[in-house]
Amino acid sequence: MATIDALAPSGTQPSEDDLTGKDIMRFHSARGSNLMTRNDAYLAWRSARTDAGLWPYFRRYTTDLRARATAVSARGRVTEGVNFGGQDYLSLSVHPDIHEAARKALADYGPLTAGSPALGGSTPVHQDLEHGLGQALERDQIILFPTGWAAGYGIIRALMHRGDHVLLDHLAHDSLRQGAGASGANVSYHKHLDATDARRRLADIRAHDTKGAILVVTEGVFSMDSDAPKLAELLATCREFDAHLLVDVAHDFAAMGPGGTGQPGLQGVLSEVDLLVGAFSKSFATTGGFMATSSASAAAYTRMFGGPQTFSSALTPIQAAIAAAALAIARSPEGDELRARVAKVAQDLRSGMTERGLTVLGDVVCPVVPVLAGSTAVGRIASGLLEEHGVIAHLVEQPAVPSDAARFRLQAMADHTAEDIRKAVDAVSTCINQANEANQAR
């Protein structure tokens, strides 16, 4: 690590423990009247971490998104090599059909939509995408959003009101949590993947409120932990207490399941889930999000009152065309082959890490492979070391995970090779072991 010479938040020279072990949430609620200076302590701490090679965020890619790529860290360190940090599960960002769809959309409709979806932000390619999603998800009501985050937030914010109830899995995505909080509804959480706890909480809600709407919120795959809920059991519980189920399929739709239908398809409940929300940023070679439902009135209401539908510009024609082309590939025999390839990459990663004595979280073989580093300090040190080994992989630490559960979230691509996997396994295991030794020696 580099010499630590920046100022600590207290205004004194920071210790290594301050930079490796202290979490970011201590800066979460800064106080003081001057908005321009009251976060100076955070800036000093972040700058010191950056100088010490302990700041894993805000890398930038200087190449296209391939299994081998080049990334530059916040302090300017260049990493050229195996890329397990990019979100392109089916390796479609370099697919010729995707590039051709983008060129055609640019030529036919230009680079920009006319406005928000409510105010002219649609073209025939948007309609093609909606139709394709409807067929894939067995729904006749599809709404597009500018990002996956906007979809999760906007749907819950629009449909739930004061006096209603939102019950989320404890590890639900930030967009879902913030949408619930902004809706004005009563918000509660059940233990992660615990249908029994969900049932207990639903029973308690109904014991006090027999008329309010209840929305239960979960995810098809929880990427931080590589696990999945038992959707049939959760659906049965929802029906018992007159509640509705929303499933966020951002990580599993297109990348998993028969025809790319994700966990709802794998578990045989695709047509039963009330609301499906997803993102294009994982398997569709572009950004954007969507909602799918069979309720015409819920869709109509969300179109008008889901904030991004009215107050944010729509997906560009290029984004919509790329997503439509990616969906067509995902639903084709080629898509089946790509899903099989990325599943093998993920399984081989899991096996390789486990054989090295590392802990791989979860029991679902999905494109995200979370490898436990341990303490925040060990994770930060290992992340800095990994940059030197020609492997691009992202560390997840507090506040996203507990302080003793920092992890590398490796993201598999269909185009990764056996050599890529071997290099990643060697590098991650070596760096975590070295980081443990360095942390114990401090």
Side-chain angles (χ1 to χ4, degrees):
M1 292 182 290
T3 302
I4 300 173
D5 57 6
L7 290 179
S10 62
T12 60
Q13 190 171 15
S15 66
E16 287 195 15
D17 181 65
D18 185 66
L19 298 184
T20 60
K22 295 300 193 302
D23 74 271
I24 200 170
M25 292 307 291
R26 63 183 169 145
F27 299 104
H28 186 256
S29 300
R31 307 292 294 176
S33 62
N34 192 328
L35 290 176
M36 301 299 102
T37 61
R38 73 182 190 183
N39 293 303
D40 285 355
Y42 163 73
L43 176 61
W45 178 76
R46 190 210 68 183
S47 297
R49 278 188 62 183
T50 300
D51 292 343
L54 298 170
W55 185 251
Y57 306 113
F58 300 102
R59 285 189 180 103
R60 64 185 185 276
Y61 282 90
T62 58
T63 55
D64 57 0
L65 194 56
R66 295 179 182 268
R68 298 271 176 148
T70 301
V72 182
S73 72
R75 62 173 176 155
R77 170 175 281 175
V78 177
T79 301
E80 295 183 71
V82 181
N83 179 22
F84 282 96
Q87 295 181 158
D88 188 21
Y89 300 160
L90 301 183
S91 294
L92 292 182
S93 66
V94 295
H95 195 288
D97 289 359
I98 296 298
H99 286 243
E100 177 56 31
R103 284 191 290 267
K104 187 174 188 309
L106 178 61
D108 291 347
Y109 303 104
L112 185 66
T113 46
S116 69
L119 299 172
S122 185
T123 67
V125 293
H126 291 78
Q127 292 179 314
D128 290 343
L129 175 56
E130 291 171 358
H131 179 70
L133 288 169
Q135 287 188 324
L137 295 170
E138 300 178 8
R139 300 294 191 282
D140 56 5
Q141 302 294 327
I142 304 293
I143 301 176
L144 302 178
F145 286 83
T147 66
W149 198 99
Y153 176 91
I155 292 163
I156 300 177
R157 172 67 181 83
L159 292 178
M160 304 307 289
H161 309 306
R162 190 174 303 278
D164 292 334
H165 305 267
V166 183
L167 175 63
L168 303 99
D169 186 289
H170 180 67
L171 297 185
H173 191 267
D174 178 76
S175 62
L176 307 170
R177 300 164 74 99
Q178 290 208 34
S183 72
N186 301 295
V187 180
S188 57
Y189 295 86
H190 67 80
K191 295 176 183 177
H192 181 52
L193 301 187
D194 192 332
T196 300
D197 188 48
R199 188 184 188 284
R200 180 181 65 81
R201 293 178 184 275
L202 287 174
D204 184 62
I205 291 171
R206 278 294 176 234
H208 297 88
D209 184 355
T210 59
K211 297 181 178 179
I214 304 176
L215 182 65
V216 177
V217 179
T218 190
E219 301 183 22
V221 168
F222 288 86
S223 64
M224 294 293 184
D225 294 80
S226 191
D227 52 16
K230 295 179 179 178
L231 294 175
E233 186 176 356
L234 204 52
L235 270 167
T237 303
C238 287
R239 300 300 181 250
E240 180 181 356
F241 293 99
D242 190 26
H244 296 88
L245 181 64
L246 181 153
V247 180
D248 183 340
V249 293
H251 287 278
D252 48 316
F253 179 50
M256 301 175 68
T261 52
Q263 284 294 324
L266 273 172
Q267 299 187 34
V269 296
L270 180 62
S271 63
E272 299 176 47
V273 177
D274 300 295
L275 295 164
L276 291 164
V277 57
F280 300 134
S281 53
K282 312 301 187 295
S283 298
F284 289 78
T286 188
T287 54
F290 66 86
M291 162 185 162
T293 183
S294 296
S295 171
S297 61
Y301 193 86
T302 302
R303 285 185 187 278
M304 185 52 63
F305 293 99
Q309 287 292 299
T310 303
F311 299 107
S312 184
S313 293
L315 289 174
T316 69
I318 299 170
Q319 289 172 290
I322 289 172
L327 180 61
I329 296 169
R331 299 183 68 205
S332 73
E334 182 182 3
D336 294 334
E337 178 188 346
L338 292 171
R339 276 185 291 278
R341 282 165 50 189
V342 76
K344 186 177 189 316
V345 171
Q347 182 58 68
D348 289 350
L349 268 177
R350 296 178 70 90
S351 299
M353 297 293 181
T354 301
E355 289 170 3
R356 294 296 184 93
L358 299 177
T359 299
V360 181
L361 301 175
D363 55 4
V364 174
V365 179
C366 70
V368 183
V369 180
V371 181
L372 192 67
S375 70
T376 297
V378 169
R380 290 176 183 170
I381 295 169
S383 179
L385 293 171
L386 198 59
E387 290 181 352
E388 303 172 3
H389 281 72
V391 175
I392 303 167
H394 299 308
L395 176 72
V396 181
E397 59 170 83
Q398 284 189 320
V401 297
S403 60
D404 61 349
R407 66 203 62 176
F408 287 100
R409 196 173 82 160
L410 282 74
Q411 299 179 117
M413 300 181 191
D415 283 353
H416 278 129
T417 66
E419 175 60 22
D420 296 336
I421 296 166
R422 185 200 62 76
K423 186 171 180 60
V425 169
D426 286 347
V428 172
S429 60
T430 297
C431 292
I432 289 178
N433 289 335
Q434 289 180 349
N436 270 310
E437 293 173 1
N439 190 51
Q440 292 169 4
R442 288 191 300 121

